[in-house]
Amino acid sequence: MPIKASTPSSVLLVCLGNICRSPTAEEIFRQQAAIAGLAMKVDSAGTGDWHIGHAPDVRAQRHAKAHGYNISKLVARQVSADDFRKFDLILAMDAQNLADLQVIKDSISDTDGKLAKLALFSEEDPTYSGDDVPDPYQGDSDAFEEVIERIESSAQAWIESWKTA
């Protein structure tokens, strides 16, 4: 279900540990939104708690930097119930994280109907529509390159969808 709505003022990008995909997506999304002239808050988090307080994976940092993205200062954190009130849109890197986010959202009292909308990160992307952004953590260099390619494509697709909405 596409979310072609007005441009959100805040977007949260979510993966499992918040050390590979979502911090990379945070910086790519932030840069692409700025280039498009969209003023929005962009952040990232993980559904798991294993890496809270850690910097992004060094391999993710190295590949991001090679593409002009500096993620070295980002710090992993876990999604909180409060995020569903602070953000307009929460984008999950894969179907499992989307399902986990839906469980959290369903557990929150929504008396005013203002909880964040949830969607798969690739939802608006005609190239990767409905596909997971694969977790590169157990992969090789090519896996991290693929993540950057997919994230750039899907971030641009979201921005284009808001420009044409």
Side-chain angles (χ1 to χ4, degrees):
M1 94 183 151
I3 299 191
K4 292 214 183 219
S6 61
T7 304
S9 63
S10 55
V11 177
L12 180 65
L13 304 149
V14 177
C15 69
L16 186 59
N18 194 214
I19 61 166
C20 295
R21 296 172 290 174
S22 60
T24 301
E26 176 184 345
E27 185 57 25
I28 290 172
F29 210 95
R30 182 180 290 121
Q31 283 191 30
Q32 288 191 4
I35 290 166
L38 302 177
M40 66 176 57
K41 174 183 173 184
V42 180
D43 196 1
S44 64
T47 55
D49 64 358
W50 311 279
H51 303 292
I52 293 172
H54 296 143
D57 184 286
V58 293
R59 299 165 298 170
Q61 289 185 50
R62 184 173 58 248
H63 286 275
K65 186 174 186 178
H67 289 269
Y69 307 111
N70 183 359
I71 63 171
S72 65
K73 303 252 187 291
L74 300 179
V75 177
R77 70 179 188 86
Q78 188 174 20
V79 172
S80 70
D82 197 39
D83 287 328
F84 290 83
R85 297 191 194 291
K86 291 192 316 193
F87 291 91
D88 298 326
L89 179 61
I90 299 177
L91 298 175
M93 294 294 123
D94 60 52
Q96 183 59 58
N97 283 297
L98 183 59
D100 293 342
L101 289 165
Q102 188 64 57
V103 168
I104 297 168
K105 183 177 178 178
D106 290 346
S107 73
I108 302 169
S109 174
D110 185 18
T111 57
D112 57 8
K114 293 191 178 182
L115 294 181
K117 291 182 174 90
L118 298 178
L120 194 60
F121 186 70
S122 66
E123 185 173 304
E124 291 291 335
D125 190 337
T127 304
Y128 298 108
S129 183
D131 291 349
D132 290 349
V133 176
D135 190 344
Y137 189 74
Q138 300 295 335
D140 60 11
S141 183
D142 289 344
F144 285 88
E145 286 297 312
E146 179 183 0
V147 163
I148 290 171
E149 178 183 310
R150 286 174 177 254
I151 289 171
E152 286 176 334
S153 178
S154 292
Q156 191 60 47
W158 278 105
I159 290 165
E160 288 301 317
S161 78
W162 295 323
K163 290 164 77 175
T164 60

